[in-house]
mmCIF file of all heavy atoms in Angstrom:
data_model
loop_
_atom_site.group_PDB
_atom_site.id
_atom_site.type_symbol
_atom_site.label_atom_id
_atom_site.label_comp_id
_atom_site.label_asym_id
_atom_site.label_seq_id
_atom_site.Cartn_x
_atom_site.Cartn_y
_atom_site.Cartn_z
ATOM 1 N N VAL A 7 -0.481 -8.763 -4.309
ATOM 2 C CA VAL A 7 -0.467 -7.302 -4.343
ATOM 3 C C VAL A 7 -0.916 -6.845 -2.955
ATOM 4 O O VAL A 7 -1.968 -7.276 -2.468
ATOM 5 C CB VAL A 7 -1.450 -6.764 -5.407
ATOM 6 C CG1 VAL A 7 -1.401 -5.243 -5.462
ATOM 7 C CG2 VAL A 7 -1.149 -7.360 -6.779
ATOM 8 N N ILE A 9 -2.176 -4.120 -0.259
ATOM 9 C CA ILE A 9 -2.834 -2.811 -0.118
ATOM 10 C C ILE A 9 -3.113 -2.545 1.365
ATOM 11 O O ILE A 9 -3.121 -3.467 2.191
ATOM 12 C CB ILE A 9 -4.152 -2.724 -0.924
ATOM 13 C CG1 ILE A 9 -5.202 -3.726 -0.390
ATOM 14 C CG2 ILE A 9 -3.898 -2.959 -2.400
ATOM 15 C CD1 ILE A 9 -6.619 -3.499 -0.964
ATOM 16 N N GLY A 10 -3.361 -1.283 1.680
ATOM 17 C CA GLY A 10 -3.703 -0.913 3.058
ATOM 18 C C GLY A 10 -3.280 0.518 3.323
ATOM 19 O O GLY A 10 -2.549 1.118 2.537
ATOM 20 N N LEU A 79 1.435 -1.530 -3.070
ATOM 21 C CA LEU A 79 0.932 -0.288 -3.668
ATOM 22 C C LEU A 79 1.056 0.842 -2.658
ATOM 23 O O LEU A 79 1.033 0.615 -1.444
ATOM 24 C CB LEU A 79 -0.543 -0.429 -4.058
ATOM 25 C CG LEU A 79 -0.924 -1.553 -5.020
ATOM 26 C CD1 LEU A 79 -2.357 -1.340 -5.504
ATOM 27 C CD2 LEU A 79 0.020 -1.628 -6.210
ATOM 28 N N GLY A 81 -0.414 3.800 -0.388
ATOM 29 C CA GLY A 81 -1.633 3.703 0.418
ATOM 30 C C GLY A 81 -2.895 4.188 -0.275
ATOM 31 O O GLY A 81 -3.988 3.663 -0.048
ATOM 32 N N GLY A 82 -2.762 5.218 -1.144
ATOM 33 C CA GLY A 82 -3.951 5.794 -1.760
ATOM 34 C C GLY A 82 -4.187 5.316 -3.182
ATOM 35 O O GLY A 82 -5.140 5.758 -3.837
ATOM 36 N N ALA A 83 -3.358 4.406 -3.663
ATOM 37 C CA ALA A 83 -3.451 3.966 -5.068
ATOM 38 C C ALA A 83 -4.819 3.377 -5.389
ATOM 39 O O ALA A 83 -5.331 3.535 -6.498
ATOM 40 C CB ALA A 83 -2.354 2.944 -5.369
ATOM 41 N N VAL A 84 -5.427 2.724 -4.408
ATOM 42 C CA VAL A 84 -6.701 2.028 -4.648
ATOM 43 C C VAL A 84 -7.878 2.981 -4.869
ATOM 44 O O VAL A 84 -8.973 2.539 -5.207
ATOM 45 C CB VAL A 84 -7.062 1.087 -3.466
ATOM 46 C CG1 VAL A 84 -6.043 -0.021 -3.330
ATOM 47 C CG2 VAL A 84 -7.191 1.873 -2.178
ATOM 48 N N LEU A 85 -7.673 4.293 -4.668
ATOM 49 C CA LEU A 85 -8.780 5.230 -4.859
ATOM 50 C C LEU A 85 -9.074 5.458 -6.342
ATOM 51 O O LEU A 85 -10.152 5.907 -6.707
ATOM 52 C CB LEU A 85 -8.456 6.567 -4.185
ATOM 53 C CG LEU A 85 -8.286 6.476 -2.667
ATOM 54 C CD1 LEU A 85 -7.897 7.820 -2.097
ATOM 55 C CD2 LEU A 85 -9.578 5.968 -2.019
ATOM 56 N N ASP A 86 -8.106 5.167 -7.180
ATOM 57 C CA ASP A 86 -8.270 5.366 -8.619
ATOM 58 C C ASP A 86 -9.160 4.258 -9.204
ATOM 59 O O ASP A 86 -8.888 3.074 -9.016
ATOM 60 C CB ASP A 86 -6.874 5.330 -9.269
ATOM 61 C CG ASP A 86 -6.925 5.595 -10.749
ATOM 62 O OD1 ASP A 86 -7.286 4.670 -11.519
ATOM 63 O OD2 ASP A 86 -6.604 6.727 -11.146
ATOM 64 N N GLU A 87 -10.211 4.684 -9.927
ATOM 65 C CA GLU A 87 -11.161 3.672 -10.431
ATOM 66 C C GLU A 87 -10.531 2.724 -11.439
ATOM 67 O O GLU A 87 -10.855 1.541 -11.495
ATOM 68 C CB GLU A 87 -12.386 4.345 -11.036
ATOM 69 C CG GLU A 87 -13.330 4.813 -9.952
ATOM 70 C CD GLU A 87 -14.575 5.497 -10.493
ATOM 71 O OE1 GLU A 87 -14.891 5.310 -11.687
ATOM 72 O OE2 GLU A 87 -15.207 6.225 -9.714
ATOM 73 N N GLY A 88 -9.613 3.268 -12.246
ATOM 74 C CA GLY A 88 -8.911 2.419 -13.218
ATOM 75 C C GLY A 88 -8.082 1.362 -12.497
ATOM 76 O O GLY A 88 -8.055 0.187 -12.905
ATOM 77 N N THR A 89 -7.442 1.765 -11.436
ATOM 78 C CA THR A 89 -6.643 0.824 -10.639
ATOM 79 C C THR A 89 -7.551 -0.232 -10.000
ATOM 80 O O THR A 89 -7.219 -1.418 -9.972
ATOM 81 C CB THR A 89 -5.835 1.598 -9.560
ATOM 82 O OG1 THR A 89 -4.893 2.428 -10.237
ATOM 83 C CG2 THR A 89 -5.115 0.665 -8.606
ATOM 84 N N GLN A 90 -8.717 0.192 -9.530
ATOM 85 C CA GLN A 90 -9.661 -0.780 -8.938
ATOM 86 C C GLN A 90 -10.027 -1.848 -9.955
ATOM 87 O O GLN A 90 -10.076 -3.038 -9.636
ATOM 88 C CB GLN A 90 -10.921 -0.062 -8.453
ATOM 89 C CG GLN A 90 -10.658 0.889 -7.301
ATOM 90 C CD GLN A 90 -11.890 1.670 -6.873
ATOM 91 O OE1 GLN A 90 -13.004 1.393 -7.307
ATOM 92 N NE2 GLN A 90 -11.694 2.650 -6.017
ATOM 93 N N LEU A 91 -10.247 -1.436 -11.195
ATOM 94 C CA LEU A 91 -10.602 -2.408 -12.239
ATOM 95 C C LEU A 91 -9.442 -3.358 -12.507
ATOM 96 O O LEU A 91 -9.624 -4.573 -12.645
ATOM 97 C CB LEU A 91 -10.995 -1.687 -13.539
ATOM 98 C CG LEU A 91 -12.311 -0.914 -13.491
ATOM 99 C CD1 LEU A 91 -12.506 -0.106 -14.774
ATOM 100 C CD2 LEU A 91 -13.496 -1.877 -13.295
ATOM 101 N N LEU A 92 -8.222 -2.788 -12.570
ATOM 102 C CA LEU A 92 -7.053 -3.633 -12.848
ATOM 103 C C LEU A 92 -6.855 -4.682 -11.744
ATOM 104 O O LEU A 92 -6.413 -5.799 -12.001
ATOM 105 C CB LEU A 92 -5.778 -2.784 -12.921
ATOM 106 C CG LEU A 92 -5.632 -1.841 -14.117
ATOM 107 C CD1 LEU A 92 -4.366 -1.003 -13.966
ATOM 108 C CD2 LEU A 92 -5.581 -2.635 -15.417
ATOM 109 N N LEU A 93 -7.186 -4.314 -10.513
ATOM 110 C CA LEU A 93 -6.929 -5.229 -9.387
ATOM 111 C C LEU A 93 -7.888 -6.411 -9.351
ATOM 112 O O LEU A 93 -7.621 -7.413 -8.682
ATOM 113 C CB LEU A 93 -7.015 -4.469 -8.054
ATOM 114 C CG LEU A 93 -5.837 -3.540 -7.771
ATOM 115 C CD1 LEU A 93 -6.063 -2.803 -6.459
ATOM 116 C CD2 LEU A 93 -4.529 -4.329 -7.708
ATOM 117 N N ALA A 94 -8.976 -6.290 -10.090
ATOM 118 C CA ALA A 94 -10.020 -7.324 -10.011
ATOM 119 C C ALA A 94 -9.501 -8.729 -10.309
ATOM 120 O O ALA A 94 -10.028 -9.699 -9.796
ATOM 121 C CB ALA A 94 -11.163 -6.970 -10.950
ATOM 122 N N GLU A 95 -8.436 -8.828 -11.105
ATOM 123 C CA GLU A 95 -7.975 -10.177 -11.484
ATOM 124 C C GLU A 95 -6.784 -10.659 -10.668
ATOM 125 O O GLU A 95 -6.120 -11.618 -11.049
ATOM 126 C CB GLU A 95 -7.567 -10.157 -12.958
ATOM 127 C CG GLU A 95 -8.743 -9.929 -13.864
ATOM 128 C CD GLU A 95 -8.303 -9.533 -15.256
ATOM 129 O OE1 GLU A 95 -7.187 -9.884 -15.655
ATOM 130 O OE2 GLU A 95 -9.090 -8.861 -15.929
ATOM 131 N N HIS A 96 -6.487 -9.982 -9.544
ATOM 132 C CA HIS A 96 -5.258 -10.314 -8.824
ATOM 133 C C HIS A 96 -5.511 -10.828 -7.401
ATOM 134 O O HIS A 96 -6.598 -10.666 -6.864
ATOM 135 C CB HIS A 96 -4.369 -9.071 -8.767
ATOM 136 C CG HIS A 96 -3.801 -8.709 -10.098
ATOM 137 N ND1 HIS A 96 -2.646 -9.257 -10.586
ATOM 138 C CD2 HIS A 96 -4.270 -7.882 -11.075
ATOM 139 C CE1 HIS A 96 -2.402 -8.774 -11.791
ATOM 140 N NE2 HIS A 96 -3.375 -7.943 -12.114
ATOM 141 N N THR A 97 -4.461 -11.466 -6.864
ATOM 142 C CA THR A 97 -4.477 -11.842 -5.449
ATOM 143 C C THR A 97 -4.099 -10.588 -4.668
ATOM 144 O O THR A 97 -2.958 -10.110 -4.746
ATOM 145 C CB THR A 97 -3.432 -12.952 -5.182
ATOM 146 O OG1 THR A 97 -3.777 -14.079 -5.986
ATOM 147 C CG2 THR A 97 -3.398 -13.344 -3.709
ATOM 148 N N VAL A 98 -5.064 -10.033 -3.954
ATOM 149 C CA VAL A 98 -4.862 -8.747 -3.280
ATOM 150 C C VAL A 98 -4.940 -8.958 -1.770
ATOM 151 O O VAL A 98 -5.959 -9.418 -1.244
ATOM 152 C CB VAL A 98 -5.935 -7.722 -3.736
ATOM 153 C CG1 VAL A 98 -5.730 -6.392 -3.024
ATOM 154 C CG2 VAL A 98 -5.901 -7.522 -5.246
ATOM 155 N N VAL A 99 -3.854 -8.639 -1.088
ATOM 156 C CA VAL A 99 -3.795 -8.817 0.363
ATOM 157 C C VAL A 99 -4.004 -7.465 1.037
ATOM 158 O O VAL A 99 -3.197 -6.545 0.852
ATOM 159 C CB VAL A 99 -2.423 -9.392 0.789
ATOM 160 C CG1 VAL A 99 -2.353 -9.547 2.306
ATOM 161 C CG2 VAL A 99 -2.153 -10.723 0.089
ATOM 162 N N TYR A 100 -5.080 -7.358 1.777
ATOM 163 C CA TYR A 100 -5.379 -6.111 2.504
ATOM 164 C C TYR A 100 -4.841 -6.222 3.928
ATOM 165 O O TYR A 100 -5.253 -7.092 4.695
ATOM 166 C CB TYR A 100 -6.891 -5.872 2.486
ATOM 167 C CG TYR A 100 -7.424 -4.892 3.506
ATOM 168 C CD1 TYR A 100 -6.695 -3.770 3.904
ATOM 169 C CD2 TYR A 100 -8.685 -5.084 4.074
ATOM 170 C CE1 TYR A 100 -7.197 -2.879 4.850
ATOM 171 C CE2 TYR A 100 -9.203 -4.198 5.005
ATOM 172 C CZ TYR A 100 -8.449 -3.108 5.390
ATOM 173 O OH TYR A 100 -8.943 -2.240 6.335
ATOM 174 N N ARG A 136 -11.434 5.326 3.276
ATOM 175 C CA ARG A 136 -10.870 4.250 2.451
ATOM 176 C C ARG A 136 -11.206 2.832 2.885
ATOM 177 O O ARG A 136 -11.078 1.913 2.072
ATOM 178 C CB ARG A 136 -9.349 4.363 2.429
ATOM 179 C CG ARG A 136 -8.867 5.608 1.750
ATOM 180 C CD ARG A 136 -7.365 5.599 1.729
ATOM 181 N NE ARG A 136 -6.808 6.812 1.175
ATOM 182 C CZ ARG A 136 -5.522 7.103 1.206
ATOM 183 N NH1 ARG A 136 -4.685 6.255 1.778
ATOM 184 N NH2 ARG A 136 -5.088 8.225 0.686
ATOM 185 N N LEU A 137 -11.595 2.634 4.153
ATOM 186 C CA LEU A 137 -11.790 1.245 4.605
ATOM 187 C C LEU A 137 -12.725 0.440 3.703
ATOM 188 O O LEU A 137 -12.412 -0.705 3.366
ATOM 189 C CB LEU A 137 -12.272 1.197 6.058
ATOM 190 C CG LEU A 137 -11.215 1.501 7.113
ATOM 191 C CD1 LEU A 137 -11.695 1.105 8.503
ATOM 192 C CD2 LEU A 137 -9.882 0.821 6.817
ATOM 193 N N PRO A 138 -13.862 1.032 3.277
ATOM 194 C CA PRO A 138 -14.749 0.235 2.411
ATOM 195 C C PRO A 138 -14.064 -0.182 1.114
ATOM 196 O O PRO A 138 -14.338 -1.266 0.594
ATOM 197 C CB PRO A 138 -15.916 1.190 2.120
ATOM 198 C CG PRO A 138 -15.831 2.266 3.141
ATOM 199 C CD PRO A 138 -14.405 2.367 3.572
ATOM 200 N N VAL A 139 -13.178 0.663 0.598
ATOM 201 C CA VAL A 139 -12.498 0.340 -0.662
ATOM 202 C C VAL A 139 -11.486 -0.792 -0.431
ATOM 203 O O VAL A 139 -11.447 -1.777 -1.178
ATOM 204 C CB VAL A 139 -11.767 1.588 -1.226
ATOM 205 C CG1 VAL A 139 -11.099 1.259 -2.560
ATOM 206 C CG2 VAL A 139 -12.728 2.749 -1.387
ATOM 207 N N TYR A 140 -10.681 -0.673 0.621
ATOM 208 C CA TYR A 140 -9.717 -1.744 0.918
ATOM 209 C C TYR A 140 -10.455 -3.075 1.127
ATOM 210 O O TYR A 140 -10.042 -4.119 0.635
ATOM 211 C CB TYR A 140 -8.924 -1.433 2.187
ATOM 212 C CG TYR A 140 -7.985 -0.246 2.111
ATOM 213 C CD1 TYR A 140 -7.998 0.726 3.119
ATOM 214 C CD2 TYR A 140 -7.053 -0.109 1.081
ATOM 215 C CE1 TYR A 140 -7.126 1.803 3.087
ATOM 216 C CE2 TYR A 140 -6.185 0.971 1.046
ATOM 217 C CZ TYR A 140 -6.223 1.924 2.056
ATOM 218 O OH TYR A 140 -5.358 2.988 2.036
ATOM 219 N N GLU A 141 -11.556 -2.994 1.879
ATOM 220 C CA GLU A 141 -12.300 -4.230 2.187
ATOM 221 C C GLU A 141 -12.850 -4.879 0.921
ATOM 222 O O GLU A 141 -12.815 -6.091 0.767
ATOM 223 C CB GLU A 141 -13.449 -3.930 3.160
ATOM 224 C CG GLU A 141 -12.956 -3.840 4.594
ATOM 225 C CD GLU A 141 -13.993 -3.236 5.534
ATOM 226 O OE1 GLU A 141 -15.157 -3.033 5.126
ATOM 227 O OE2 GLU A 141 -13.614 -2.947 6.689
ATOM 228 N N ARG A 142 -13.336 -4.056 0.034
ATOM 229 C CA ARG A 142 -13.930 -4.577 -1.192
ATOM 230 C C ARG A 142 -12.871 -5.201 -2.102
ATOM 231 O O ARG A 142 -13.099 -6.228 -2.733
ATOM 232 C CB ARG A 142 -14.654 -3.427 -1.910
ATOM 233 C CG ARG A 142 -15.263 -3.778 -3.234
ATOM 234 C CD ARG A 142 -16.291 -2.714 -3.663
ATOM 235 N NE ARG A 142 -15.750 -1.370 -3.756
ATOM 236 C CZ ARG A 142 -15.060 -0.912 -4.787
ATOM 237 N NH1 ARG A 142 -14.788 -1.701 -5.815
ATOM 238 N NH2 ARG A 142 -14.627 0.331 -4.803
ATOM 239 N N LEU A 143 -11.699 -4.574 -2.163
ATOM 240 C CA LEU A 143 -10.684 -5.034 -3.120
ATOM 241 C C LEU A 143 -9.833 -6.194 -2.607
ATOM 242 O O LEU A 143 -9.259 -6.951 -3.386
ATOM 243 C CB LEU A 143 -9.754 -3.876 -3.509
ATOM 244 C CG LEU A 143 -10.413 -2.721 -4.253
ATOM 245 C CD1 LEU A 143 -9.409 -1.598 -4.470
ATOM 246 C CD2 LEU A 143 -10.962 -3.188 -5.593
ATOM 247 N N GLY A 144 -9.733 -6.322 -1.288
ATOM 248 C CA GLY A 144 -8.877 -7.375 -0.732
ATOM 249 C C GLY A 144 -9.486 -8.755 -0.967
ATOM 250 O O GLY A 144 -10.653 -8.975 -0.661
ATOM 251 N N THR A 145 -8.697 -9.667 -1.553
ATOM 252 C CA THR A 145 -9.195 -11.039 -1.666
ATOM 253 C C THR A 145 -8.825 -11.795 -0.392
ATOM 254 O O THR A 145 -9.410 -12.810 -0.068
ATOM 255 C CB THR A 145 -8.624 -11.757 -2.911
ATOM 256 O OG1 THR A 145 -7.196 -11.630 -2.923
ATOM 257 C CG2 THR A 145 -9.154 -11.144 -4.192
ATOM 258 N N ILE A 146 -7.813 -11.277 0.311
ATOM 259 C CA ILE A 146 -7.414 -11.822 1.615
ATOM 260 C C ILE A 146 -7.249 -10.619 2.543
ATOM 261 O O ILE A 146 -6.606 -9.637 2.174
ATOM 262 C CB ILE A 146 -6.053 -12.540 1.500
ATOM 263 C CG1 ILE A 146 -6.172 -13.758 0.590
ATOM 264 C CG2 ILE A 146 -5.508 -12.923 2.861
ATOM 265 C CD1 ILE A 146 -4.831 -14.338 0.191
ATOM 266 N N THR A 147 -7.849 -10.702 3.728
ATOM 267 C CA THR A 147 -7.706 -9.608 4.695
ATOM 268 C C THR A 147 -6.930 -10.129 5.893
ATOM 269 O O THR A 147 -7.257 -11.179 6.444
ATOM 270 C CB THR A 147 -9.093 -9.104 5.140
ATOM 271 O OG1 THR A 147 -9.761 -8.589 3.993
ATOM 272 C CG2 THR A 147 -8.988 -8.013 6.186
#
Side-chain angles (χ1 to χ4, degrees):
V7 182
I9 64 169
L79 303 192
V84 296
L85 297 177
D86 183 282
E87 282 180 19
T89 295
Q90 294 176 10
L91 291 173
L92 291 176
L93 287 178
E95 293 164 26
H96 290 274
T97 300
V98 179
V99 179
Y100 162 34
R136 295 182 184 171
L137 286 194
V139 182
Y140 293 131
E141 280 167 9
R142 177 163 58 81
L143 296 175
T145 51
I146 295 168
T147 298

